[in-house]
């Protein structure tokens, strides 16, 4: 029995399509793996940068405290940086005071509201009757 030429051609086309799909899947898998590797590298880079920033911030704060205490004298070139830090610190303190004032106002308003809701205080003594 000879194989039907139409079936053989169809089978060949199916096999070619399957092989092409396999090749595309392998290429796609490679691209996904490379992308995942780049994402891991970026995440690691971000983590290292944050660690460096944290260390620099701690160093700067430590140096600033020593300068404020008079235990460390910075070279002249650092004057603008020192003034910028002092200015930022003053702004932060002023902002903290504003927040404190807002919180205090909120507490006072809540207290007044609670007093209003409670109504007049009951002394426990009967009120005087008015003459008729």
């Amino acid at each position: 029995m000879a194989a039907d030429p139409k079936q053989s051609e169809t089978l060949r086309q199916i096999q070619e399509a399957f092989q092409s799909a396999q090749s595309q899947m392998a290429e796609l898998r490679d691209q996904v793996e490379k992308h995942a590797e780049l994402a891991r590298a970026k995440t690691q880079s971000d983590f290292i940068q944050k660690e460096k920033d944290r260390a620099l911030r701690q160093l700067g704060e430590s140096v600033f405290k020593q300068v404020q205490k008079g235990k460390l004298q910075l070279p002249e070139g650092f004057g603008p940086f020192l003034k910028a830090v002092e200015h930022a610190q003053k702004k932060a303190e002023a902002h903290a005071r504003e927040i404190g004032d807002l919180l205090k106002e909120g507490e006072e308003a809540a207290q007044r509201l609670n007093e209003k809701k409670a109504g007049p205080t009951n002394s426990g003594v009967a009120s005087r009757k008015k003459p008729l």
Side-chain angles (χ1 to χ4, degrees):
M1 256 179 133
D4 185 6
K6 283 187 174 182
Q7 283 184 340
S8 296
E9 180 61 24
T10 303
L11 185 59
R12 186 187 60 75
Q13 289 174 352
I14 290 172
Q15 288 174 337
E16 285 177 4
F18 182 71
Q19 288 173 349
S20 175
Q22 282 182 319
S23 175
Q24 289 174 357
M25 282 294 293
E27 187 177 324
L28 182 60
R29 185 180 324 115
D30 288 345
Q31 289 176 1
V32 168
E33 287 174 0
K34 286 179 184 178
H35 182 72
E37 187 177 334
L38 283 172
R40 282 190 297 274
K42 173 72 169 113
T43 300
Q44 183 68 20
S45 177
D46 291 347
F47 177 77
I48 291 169
Q49 186 61 44
K50 285 180 183 179
E51 187 178 354
K52 177 185 170 189
D53 290 345
R54 188 177 18 239
L56 284 170
R57 184 176 56 249
Q58 289 172 343
L59 173 64
E61 288 175 359
S62 179
V63 168
F64 183 70
K65 287 177 185 176
Q66 294 298 314
V67 169
Q68 283 184 315
K69 291 177 183 178
K71 294 183 177 183
L72 181 64
Q73 183 69 34
L74 295 177
E76 284 183 31
F78 287 86
F81 301 117
L82 186 59
K83 287 182 182 185
V85 171
E86 289 170 345
H87 179 68
Q89 186 176 19
K90 287 177 184 176
K91 282 174 60 174
E93 290 168 356
H95 188 66
R97 283 192 301 274
E98 288 176 13
I99 291 172
D101 291 345
L102 289 171
L103 290 172
K104 185 176 178 182
E105 287 176 17
E107 289 173 3
E108 291 170 353
Q111 187 176 8
R112 286 192 302 272
L113 184 61
N114 285 336
E115 289 172 358
K116 222 181 220 186
K117 284 183 180 178
T121 57
N122 190 355
S123 66
V125 177
S127 61
R128 284 193 213 175
K129 287 189 176 184
K130 295 183 182 178
L132 296 172

